Amino acid sequence: MYRQGDILILPVPEGEVPASVRDLPPSPRDGRGRMVLALGEATGHAHALSAPGSLLRVPDPLAPDHLHLPSGGRLVHEEHAAITLPKGWYKVVRQREYVPGTVRVVAD
């Protein structure tokens, strides 16, 4: 298990990745070629990887994303220490907060 700010990254055994996730199209990379797990709305900073792989997102913003790193990668953010992730599959969970009447993803 890994945490970088408001992002939680959980390793998932390959056999437990649902087919519905594997069939999703990969999220586009940003202009710098990075997979951006979360972008800071206030600062413009990003939790991002430049490694080979794919970020798979479902339309529900509260559902976890999935990350596939066939050869591992390094997660970087301007305000946090970099994290080296081994090759494999991961669930990416954004921290949430309760706001009376709803739940929302934490804004950086």
Side-chain angles (χ1 to χ4, degrees):
M1 180 180 335
Y2 305 88
R3 178 171 292 283
Q4 188 182 67
D6 56 349
I7 299 292
L8 176 66
I9 302 168
L10 303 165
V12 177
E14 187 168 355
E16 293 181 21
V17 178
S20 59
V21 167
R22 291 175 186 267
D23 292 340
L24 290 169
S27 292
R29 291 178 178 248
D30 71 359
R32 295 167 51 187
R34 305 175 305 168
M35 291 181 284
V36 176
L37 305 186
L39 183 62
E41 292 83 0
T43 63
H45 295 163
H47 299 274
L49 295 116
S50 295
S54 53
L55 177 61
L56 306 165
R57 289 200 156 118
V58 296
D60 179 356
L62 295 178
D65 296 328
H66 283 77
L67 175 65
H68 180 229
L69 297 173
S71 43
R74 192 163 181 254
L75 179 64
V76 297
H77 185 280
E78 292 84 345
E79 297 173 341
H80 302 285
I83 298 173
T84 300
L85 299 171
K87 70 178 181 176
W89 282 90
Y90 299 90
K91 271 188 189 178
V92 180
V93 180
R94 296 273 313 263
Q95 184 173 332
R96 298 170 182 95
E97 63 185 355
Y98 175 76
V99 177
T102 190
V103 174
R104 68 178 185 157
V105 173
V106 172
D108 194 9

